[in-house]
Amino acid sequence: MRKGIVWLSGVATIALAHPALAQEGSIAPANTPSAPATANPLARPGDQQGSATAAADDGTLEDIVVTAQKREQNLQDVPVAVTAITADTLVNRNVATVNDLTRLAPSLTVTTGAVPTNNSINLRGIGTVAFSTAIEPSVAVIVDDVALLQQAQAFSGLSDIARIEVLRGPQGTLFGKNASAGALNIVSQGPSARLTGAVTGTATTDDEYRVDAVISGPVTEGIGFRINGFYGDRDGFIKNIYDGRRLNNDRSYGLRGRFALAPLPGVAIDLIAGHSVTESRGTARTFRNVPTGAAIFGTPVAATLTGITPSETNFYTAFNGPLFNKSLQTNGSGRVTVDVGFANLISITSYQDWRFNFIEDFDYIVGTVVGLPNGIIAQSGFHARQFAQEVRLASKGGGPLSYVAGLYYSDGKTDRTFDRGPSGPVVARWNSTSGTKSYAAFAQASYDLAATTHVDAGLRFNHEKISGRFLNLVTPATAPANNATCLVECVGAASDSVVTGKIALRQDLAKHVMAYASFSTGYKGQGYDISTGFTPTRAAVPVRPETSNAYEVGFKSRFLGNRVQLNVAAFWTDFKNFQAQSGVQLPDQTIQLTLNNVGKVRTRGVEVEWQARPSEAFALDGALSFTDAMIREYPNAQCYTGQTAAQGCLPVAGSATPFQNLAGQRLANAPRWKANMGATYNILMPDMPFDAFIRGDVSYQSSVKFDFSNPALVQKAYAVANASIGLDQKDRGGLQVTFFVNNLFNKRYASALGISSGGTAGLVAQTFSRNAQRYGGVRVRFGF
């Protein structure tokens, strides 16, 4: 009933509102930007202000402006492999979360954990899954020039976004130490030059009801604003047959305000503040494979399986404990740009505060476990906050030399509590704090060696201080019952300095045709593996930093009268001390997870992206990637649960624990092949007040392993197709109605696989995303 009221309220608002959505369009081909109808003097560089038509009047492709190198550049002039996804594309392809980006960006995958803090964004096979309080990711997420402290903050949904740039390969020179594999650069919409706004309502067959609203425009001379808000409520798609709960739901809402001011000639101020809340009945797992006689912590699984058939298409589970998580995020930033004549002096000050709490049934079965009637309950809370200050000087261009140089400082801190019990052999109860302070100086310049030959070079010096504190709250503290040998408290502190850099040579082969070759070094900082099982050894010796050497050659082109765009990149990257999560089963049957330094890893491959406008009404786009991400050296990897000597789990001299050699194994969630294709056809109706459109897209990925140490955790290759049709008023305002179907052929696929903690060998659980089943919906937008 409550959902129906929310939806009806949204429809009533649509009927009464005056807004129009400047950033959404009906005829935009994928991956093309929307050009503003009127220039906005308050807009900061990189903002997308409005969306007249996504292609030029003659039906050719428009130029795409990106800020992949911290200054505005044409996408085709940037010696970086970049997928630029505009506001139109995000709406037209039903991209609502970071997970959905995998359908559009080559060699991008997302690994889904039980909670967002266990998620991982991966590029070219490289990503970091860690259960530690605050281990850095390999892929940085930057929102409006501010790097998020915790990658999990990125999984709160997308709203009122102007553009997302997926930057593949090391980006540490300009974006910092946690971008060793790449970065997601997210740019929100800025104030518009005229009063605009919109209300958009969405309803789906899987019981989602969502309302988005935005209003933007000038306040007075020199002052502009933009305010957007959203509310969404979607029921769960995993059924708990024990009590009827529908799990994996999502309820979220948020508000963001943005003000642009020009108080003096040559001075621009951009202020952004936002708050969002996301909560759900967890990310429930289901059983894929259950061996005969399987048990969890000694309790047979068979009784739990009444009415459930474990399989690759099982969307049913049963357990009698809680499952819930909630995220609250507040961000604020201020950017001041001063024209100093020969360049722009830019200052960016930011503060972010993120709180996340979860509680879950740890054993995931019905019945008494280790003497507890409701089984083992685990709960944890995170509180992360960071202050950051960046100052940079960016040239205005116009000569043979252009550059950006700057200084950066950040101070981040994450507190975490953890409680698993309340009694029995798997109890763990602790508090922790992880801190990081970074100081950096960077510079990158482009110089025209000749009219058609250009060189880009950059360096970054980074100094970081990290700290870790682990307080064991189990009394009495006796190892290994609580899986921790810090009997009271462990404290650690360390620092490190590094210089990373990049050099690229660009050659213009013809008009709209450019080739480049680049070399760059990547770095991901050291960190404390603060999790259950933390020891004095971990406190004294943090996980070593991850480094890489990356080589890339690329080709960017437009031809056939500017109607076809073809971009190709080939890459080869060698990683040393790659940070990877693994687990070993303890005597009490729990899985103790630790972060290790894999000896050497290599990723190499080819990525191809294309767009075409055969006619003004017809647009095509697509991508294809081949990625060979392999472990080269990892001689002493932990064995997986149940692994035998015949399967490679061999004794090691001087150690009571056997190990396996993983050299030659593929990295986790790194498909060799990924591909996507999309098409938009606009049906022009000159005698009607509106036009119609038809869209479709399909994405494919080959098989993957979700744990490079365990050959049983494999998801087979799959393809997913989506389609939509609709009507749109020609004046870009008024009404747009879209009917869509996601996963048209109802293809089931897992977004994560794992061995149940405390479970019998071969007991495999799986995680599904919402997109792993078919659902349809309608989206209605009205505005001015």
Side-chain angles (χ1 to χ4, degrees):
M1 183 66 170
R2 177 173 58 87
K3 297 176 184 176
I5 293 173
V6 170
W7 174 239
L8 290 175
S9 299
V11 173
T13 305
I14 291 172
L16 296 173
H18 297 289
L21 191 60
Q23 74 269 27
E24 295 181 7
S26 63
I27 62 172
N31 299 349
T32 57
S34 299
T38 304
N40 182 4
L42 296 173
R44 78 181 203 187
D47 285 342
Q48 178 182 332
Q49 311 299 330
S51 164
T53 57
D57 291 340
D58 58 2
T60 62
L61 296 172
E62 272 203 353
D63 290 336
I64 301 175
V65 176
V66 296
T67 52
Q69 298 192 122
K70 292 208 171 183
R71 61 183 189 271
E72 287 189 307
Q73 292 177 283
N74 188 317
L75 172 65
Q76 297 304 98
D77 295 333
V78 179
V80 179
V82 183
T83 300
I85 306 171
T86 66
D88 289 318
T89 304
L90 294 172
V91 173
N92 296 343
R93 298 292 178 82
N94 295 315
V95 175
T97 67
V98 166
N99 303 63
D100 297 328
L101 295 174
T102 60
R103 295 190 277 114
L104 301 176
S107 65
L108 171 67
T109 62
V110 173
T111 303
T112 303
V115 291
T117 50
N118 298 340
N119 291 357
S120 172
I121 301 172
N122 316 302
L123 282 169
R124 295 175 172 173
I126 304 298
T128 302
V129 176
F131 292 84
S132 172
T133 296
I135 287 290
E136 295 177 343
S138 298
V139 178
V141 180
I142 298 95
V143 180
D144 291 326
D145 273 325
V146 177
L148 300 181
L149 177 60
Q150 293 272 359
Q151 193 180 76
Q153 296 171 244
F155 293 92
S156 295
L158 302 170
S159 178
D160 201 36
I161 303 300
R163 184 180 66 259
I164 296 178
E165 301 166 8
V166 183
L167 315 179
R168 303 185 294 278
Q171 306 297 324
T173 302
L174 292 176
F175 291 101
K177 58 187 174 57
N178 58 349
S180 58
L184 298 186
N185 187 28
I186 301 175
V187 182
S188 68
Q189 293 280 2
S192 54
R194 61 183 180 84
L195 186 63
T196 62
V199 173
T200 304
T202 304
T204 67
T205 57
D206 63 346
D207 293 324
E208 178 188 26
Y209 302 91
R210 181 182 174 100
V211 176
D212 292 81
V214 59
I215 186 166
S216 176
V219 176
T220 185
E221 185 69 23
I223 302 177
F225 78 99
R226 188 179 192 92
I227 299 176
N228 73 280
F230 68 93
Y231 178 91
D233 196 348
R234 174 180 55 79
D235 213 341
F237 54 88
I238 299 295
K239 182 69 174 293
N240 186 345
I241 64 174
Y242 172 76
D243 55 15
R245 282 179 292 172
R246 293 178 63 177
L247 309 172
N248 296 35
N249 69 312
D250 180 85
R251 178 175 175 265
S252 58
Y253 52 91
L255 183 69
R256 179 170 57 219
R258 185 164 175 174
F259 290 87
L261 304 92
L264 298 170
V267 178
I269 301 175
D270 190 17
L271 304 175
I272 306 175
H275 179 74
S276 64
V277 178
T278 301
E279 62 182 52
S280 71
R281 291 185 290 277
T283 302
R285 305 181 291 275
T286 70
F287 286 121
R288 171 176 283 210
N289 184 61
V290 179
T292 302
I296 292 181
F297 298 112
T299 300
V301 176
T304 296
L305 297 178
T306 303
I308 298 176
T309 302
S311 70
E312 297 180 3
T313 60
N314 172 30
F315 275 66
Y316 295 91
T317 188
F319 58 88
N320 56 343
L323 192 64
F324 178 80
N325 60 56
K326 185 172 184 177
S327 168
L328 299 94
Q329 185 167 189
T330 302
N331 297 328
S333 66
R335 170 174 169 149
V336 180
T337 303
V338 180
D339 186 342
V340 295
F342 63 94
N344 287 320
L345 181 62
I346 303 166
S347 171
I348 302 168
T349 306
S350 65
Y351 183 80
Q352 53 189 283
D353 187 290
W354 180 68
R355 297 173 186 266
F356 176 74
N357 295 280
F358 75 83
I359 181 170
E360 68 170 351
D361 187 319
F362 186 70
D363 51 77
Y364 259 87
I365 57 176
V366 175
T368 300
V369 179
V370 294
L372 302 172
N374 292 322
I376 305 165
I377 307 301
Q379 54 188 323
S380 184
F382 293 77
H383 183 198
R385 56 273 194 205
Q386 177 174 275
F387 169 82
Q389 175 65 55
E390 181 175 338
V391 178
R392 62 178 183 252
L393 190 69
S395 65
K396 297 181 180 179
L401 176 68
S402 58
Y403 58 86
V404 58
L407 301 172
Y408 177 80
Y409 167 78
S410 68
D411 185 357
K413 185 177 181 180
T414 302
D415 296 325
R416 184 183 181 188
T417 62
F418 185 84
D419 190 342
R420 186 178 65 209
S423 62
V426 293
V427 64
R429 189 173 298 115
W430 46 267
N431 292 341
S432 70
T433 298
S434 177
T436 173
K437 287 186 178 181
S438 292
Y439 309 82
F442 61 91
Q444 183 165 304
S446 298
Y447 183 72
D448 299 335
L449 298 174
T452 60
T453 306
H454 324 275
V455 63
D456 299 81
L459 286 175
R460 186 184 190 98
F461 170 79
N462 191 89
H463 178 72
E464 181 185 27
K465 298 178 180 179
I466 63 170
S467 61
R469 175 179 175 270
F470 182 94
L471 180 62
N472 191 356
L473 300 178
V474 176
T475 304
T478 55
N482 62 336
N483 301 337
T485 54
C486 289
L487 301 185
V488 180
E489 183 178 34
C490 289
V491 178
S495 63
D496 192 26
S497 298
V498 67
V499 175
T500 57
K502 176 180 180 176
I503 186 167
L505 183 66
R506 293 180 284 132
Q507 180 65 45
D508 299 327
L509 304 178
K511 187 178 182 180
H512 303 308
V513 180
M514 181 267 284
Y516 69 90
S518 69
F519 170 75
S520 59
T521 58
Y523 174 86
K524 182 156 79 77
Q526 60 183 341
Y528 288 106
D529 184 18
I530 304 176
S531 57
T532 300
F534 196 69
T535 65
T537 300
R538 290 197 206 177
V541 183
V543 178
R544 295 188 300 276
E546 174 183 299
T547 60
S548 62
N549 293 325
Y551 306 85
E552 183 171 305
V553 294
F555 175 84
K556 295 189 174 184
S557 64
R558 283 191 174 183
F559 47 92
L560 294 182
N562 206 31
R563 290 181 177 270
V564 177
Q565 176 173 297
L566 176 65
N567 294 345
V568 181
F571 60 91
W572 183 301
T573 307
D574 288 312
F575 285 81
K576 184 179 180 181
N577 290 327
F578 179 71
Q579 297 173 355
Q581 188 85 54
S582 61
V584 63
Q585 191 168 48
L586 299 175
D588 64 7
Q589 294 186 306
T590 58
I591 303 296
Q592 180 170 299
L593 296 160
T594 59
L595 196 70
N596 304 296
N597 288 112
V598 173
K600 294 181 181 179
V601 165
R602 172 177 292 164
T603 178
R604 56 189 176 182
V606 178
E607 299 156 338
V608 182
E609 296 182 280
W610 67 88
Q611 297 179 52
R613 293 296 304 274
S615 68
E616 184 178 353
F618 188 38
L620 291 167
D621 67 89
L624 173 68
S625 66
F626 170 78
T627 304
D628 180 28
M630 306 288 288
I631 298 173
R632 295 179 61 209
E633 294 182 9
Y634 194 5
N636 296 315
Q638 293 172 321
C639 300
Y640 59 85
T641 302
Q643 186 178 8
T644 65
Q647 295 169 321
C649 186
L650 304 174
V652 176
S655 174
T657 304
F659 293 94
Q660 61 174 319
N661 189 337
L662 290 175
Q665 295 296 312
R666 290 166 57 189
L667 289 180
N669 201 10
R672 289 184 180 272
W673 293 98
K674 280 195 68 192
N676 61 271
M677 171 77 77
T680 297
Y681 184 73
N682 294 290
I683 304 171
L684 305 179
M685 297 183 286
D687 298 328
M688 302 292 289
F690 51 81
D691 292 328
F693 56 86
I694 301 174
R695 303 189 187 104
D697 64 84
V698 61
S699 58
Y700 165 85
Q701 78 166 42
S702 59
S703 64
V704 296
K705 290 198 304 182
F706 281 108
D707 184 336
F708 53 72
S709 68
N710 191 336
L713 305 181
V714 175
Q715 169 59 52
K716 299 176 183 176
Y718 62 88
V720 174
N722 307 307
S724 62
I725 61 173
L727 301 173
D728 189 21
Q729 287 188 312
K730 296 177 181 179
D731 61 2
R732 297 285 295 176
L735 185 68
Q736 183 190 79
V737 180
T738 304
F739 297 92
F740 59 88
V741 179
N742 277 22
N743 199 343
L744 190 62
F745 301 106
N746 204 27
K747 180 62 181 178
R748 307 295 177 90
Y749 60 91
S751 54
L753 296 172
I755 301 296
S756 298
S757 186
T760 305
L763 185 62
V764 178
Q766 60 196 346
T767 302
F768 290 110
S769 73
R770 176 196 187 187
N771 292 322
Q773 61 181 354
R774 179 172 52 231
Y775 66 92
V778 58
R779 182 172 58 249
V780 180
R781 183 201 63 175
F782 183 79
F784 73 93

